[in-house]
Amino acid sequence: MRVLKFGGTSVGSPEALRRAAAIVAQELPGGGLVVVSALSGTTDRLLLAMGASSQGDAAAADAAYAALEARHWAVAEALGLAEAVRPHWDPLFENLASLLQGMGLLWEASPRARDATLALGESLSARLFAVLLQSQGQPAAFRDVREVMQTDARHGRARPDLAGLGETCAPWREALAAGALWVTQGFLGSAPDGSTTTLGRGGSDTSATLLGEALGASEVQIWTDVDGVLSADPSLVTQARPIPVMSLREAAALSAYGAKVLHADALAPVGRAGFKLVVANTHRPQGGRTEIRLEAPARRPGEITSVAYKEGVTCLRLPPAQEPELLFQAATRLLEAGASLYGLLATPDGGLLVARGETAESEAVLKELESSGLALHRGWAVVALVGEGLRDEPGKALSLLAPLDGEPISAILAGDTGVSLAFLIQEDRLGELIPRLHAHCIEATPA
Ligand code: ADP
Ligand code: ASP
Ligand code: MG
């Protein structure tokens, strides 16, 4: 059994949808599960509409709604599927209009209401994709992922209940094993009270791998808009190379340090269940692809495979004579509020906490911490060099930082626990330094 996940750009135009349908025909001849994201740009537009509604700007909310609706119908019409999908879409659009109207009346968008609204993006695309497959003679059916994806009640960044997922998936496992072809939504879950939750931006990758684990899949394929995982973000590095095979540890480090191609939570299920994970390009199915394996491919000592970064990072410094306890408490509070932590360092000479406030709640905690004895510095980016070659002796890798000579580096975060060497640079230097590091550490070595 295979799970195929199609990201936003893979379902974002009639041509992409047709290609995705052809990939399903090719990869799932005996059935399987298809997980889809919302049409590209939809989640952003829904957020915009909700922001406008809850600030009382009905005109802007209406405009965002109208654009979203027009775009969806244009895609359905181009595929000749408008009439077939109408019975499924009409109630979803009505629901969306009511939710936005409610937020407009209340001047408020609660996390619960936001998730209910965001869910419409993935629900629209999953319904359309099921209808498209049916129109091509594939025996596909839509199933709502909220039947099985139980989560906690943290709306906006819900955590799946793994034990629950194993249980709720039993009927799905049976039907899929018997040859069903189902299409479902990525990104969404269901809280204990039955309300809709979401798994965080980019969370459809995690939906796919979690479902793969719970369904006992042998393979999960992530179909996106690049030829697999590349050695760097192609929007910053034109020379970025495809990585045909990488270890799970490399992929996990790369996504944890910000490479958007895989959601940071998507790799844990691969480690637990051991299925094959493939990343491939919907627009060039025969092009390059990446296979992520539990076992590491052989790498030369010191060899790195990729460079990742995340901007918008804040450093919290603990002055020398203060109790490190302050730093640990700050870390716990930030994590609980939904921040990402990139480093925690305590030395006799002071301490450092490196965090990114991902949520309004964690931003508020950062502000409070500013007046608690920690010095706060914004505007940093964490950069990570990643590769199995760094595993044994991270100290050797320090020479890789030579291209940064003369640049302000705020901290170096490395240890013998992982496959990465991370450090902080000023955010506005990313555009220049990432290509420079890539040239030195990757282009200068044979592929
Ligand atoms: P999808 O909508 O299919 O989930 P995303 O936009 O979330 O796609 O992720 C794919 C994008 O990730 C690529 O288009 C690329 O811009 C970006 N990206 C960043 N780092 C990398 C990397 N190391 N390898 C491949 N893509 C990367
Ligand atoms: N549509 C959601 C987002 O844009 C989830 C995803 O694409 O994975 O964040
Ligand atoms: Mg994505």
Side-chain angles (χ1 to χ4, degrees):
M1 215 284 292
R2 284 177 173 168
V3 176
L4 269 55
K5 176 256 170 178
F6 293 95
T9 49
S10 300
V11 293
S13 68
E15 303 72 48
L17 279 156
R18 280 196 203 98
R19 275 193 289 267
I23 291 167
V24 171
Q26 168 94 27
E27 298 288 332
L28 301 180
L33 183 66
V34 179
V35 177
V36 294
S37 294
L39 271 62
S40 50
T42 298
T43 306
D44 287 332
R45 200 163 252 157
L46 287 168
L47 287 168
L48 197 85
M50 289 190 272
S53 273
S54 59
Q55 282 159 24
D57 188 348
D62 287 351
Y65 174 89
L68 214 129
E69 198 185 20
R71 194 272 185 102
H72 277 77
W73 286 116
V75 170
E77 254 152 43
L79 292 167
L81 297 174
E83 286 322 305
V85 82
R86 188 175 297 282
H88 307 297
W89 273 10
D90 279 347
L92 296 176
F93 280 119
E94 273 167 36
N95 195 205
L96 175 57
S98 308
L99 282 161
L100 292 174
Q101 203 179 12
M103 290 175 195
L105 288 171
L106 297 168
W107 283 52
E108 182 185 276
S110 69
R112 184 187 297 254
R114 287 161 66 90
D115 277 354
T117 309
L118 289 178
L120 293 163
E122 266 67 14
S123 298
L124 288 162
S125 63
R127 287 291 192 174
L128 177 64
F129 199 62
V131 167
L132 171 61
L133 294 177
Q134 288 156 10
S135 74
Q136 299 187 342
Q138 301 196 56
F142 166 80
R143 290 301 291 254
D144 199 307
V145 79
R146 286 166 290 192
E147 284 174 29
V148 293
M149 187 62 77
Q150 296 182 358
T151 69
D152 63 12
R154 297 177 181 223
H155 292 92
R157 52 190 178 94
R159 293 205 199 124
D161 164 5
L162 299 181
L165 188 59
E167 276 171 38
T168 51
C169 272
W172 282 39
R173 215 163 27 234
E174 213 172 295
L176 291 163
L181 174 60
W182 285 353
V183 181
T184 196
Q185 310 102 318
F187 189 44
L188 312 187
S190 177
D193 66 359
S195 60
T196 294
T197 53
T198 57
L199 307 184
R201 292 304 306 269
S204 296
D205 300 328
T206 299
S207 307
T209 55
L210 280 170
L211 288 166
E213 177 183 21
L215 295 167
S218 56
E219 182 172 341
V220 174
Q221 301 179 352
I222 305 285
W223 289 88
T224 182
D225 59 357
V226 280
D227 289 357
V229 180
L230 308 175
S231 54
D233 180 351
S235 63
L236 281 190
V237 181
T238 44
Q239 303 298 322
R241 301 176 178 167
I243 307 175
V245 183
M246 69 195 305
S247 75
L248 178 62
R249 288 164 61 96
E250 287 176 333
L254 192 64
S255 64
Y257 282 111
K260 191 182 156 210
V261 62
L262 286 169
H263 189 242
D265 297 336
L267 280 311
V270 188
R272 291 191 297 260
F275 52 78
K276 181 163 132 186
L277 184 67
V278 171
V279 181
N281 191 343
T282 305
H283 313 293
R284 282 172 19 102
Q286 307 310 331
R289 56 174 60 192
T290 297
E291 196 181 308
I292 293 159
R293 296 192 192 145
L294 285 183
E295 280 314 309
R299 306 272 189 223
R300 291 182 300 277
E303 179 184 355
I304 69 157
T305 45
S306 54
V307 183
Y309 68 92
K310 195 80 184 177
E311 67 274 76
V313 165
T314 298
C315 298
L316 294 134
R317 290 180 193 286
L318 180 79
Q322 300 259 13
E323 281 301 315
E325 195 59 27
L326 198 59
L327 209 60
F328 304 144
Q329 282 164 1
T332 307
R333 282 187 66 196
L334 282 166
L335 278 177
E336 277 167 4
S340 302
L341 289 197
Y342 289 101
L344 176 58
L345 195 72
T347 72
D349 188 27
L352 173 73
L353 176 60
V354 186
R356 186 170 192 272
E358 309 282 355
T359 60
E361 210 183 328
S362 52
E363 277 299 333
V365 173
L366 278 175
K367 283 214 176 73
E368 281 173 39
L369 289 170
E370 205 162 8
S371 47
S372 76
L374 295 172
L376 204 117
H377 303 276
R378 293 182 187 271
W380 291 90
V382 62
V383 175
L385 304 177
V386 176
E388 286 285 346
L390 298 185
R391 194 159 164 184
D392 296 330
E393 254 187 86
K396 272 198 177 145
L398 290 176
S399 65
L400 295 171
L401 301 186
L404 298 177
D405 190 24
E407 291 287 337
I409 297 184
S410 169
I412 297 175
L413 307 160
D416 57 2
T417 54
V419 295
S420 64
L421 166 68
F423 47 91
L424 299 168
I425 62 171
Q426 282 167 348
E427 194 171 50
D428 55 7
R429 301 289 296 138
L430 275 173
E432 193 183 320
L433 297 184
I434 295 285
R436 204 192 283 174
L437 281 163
H438 188 268
H440 179 77
C441 303
I442 295 181
E443 288 158 50
T445 61

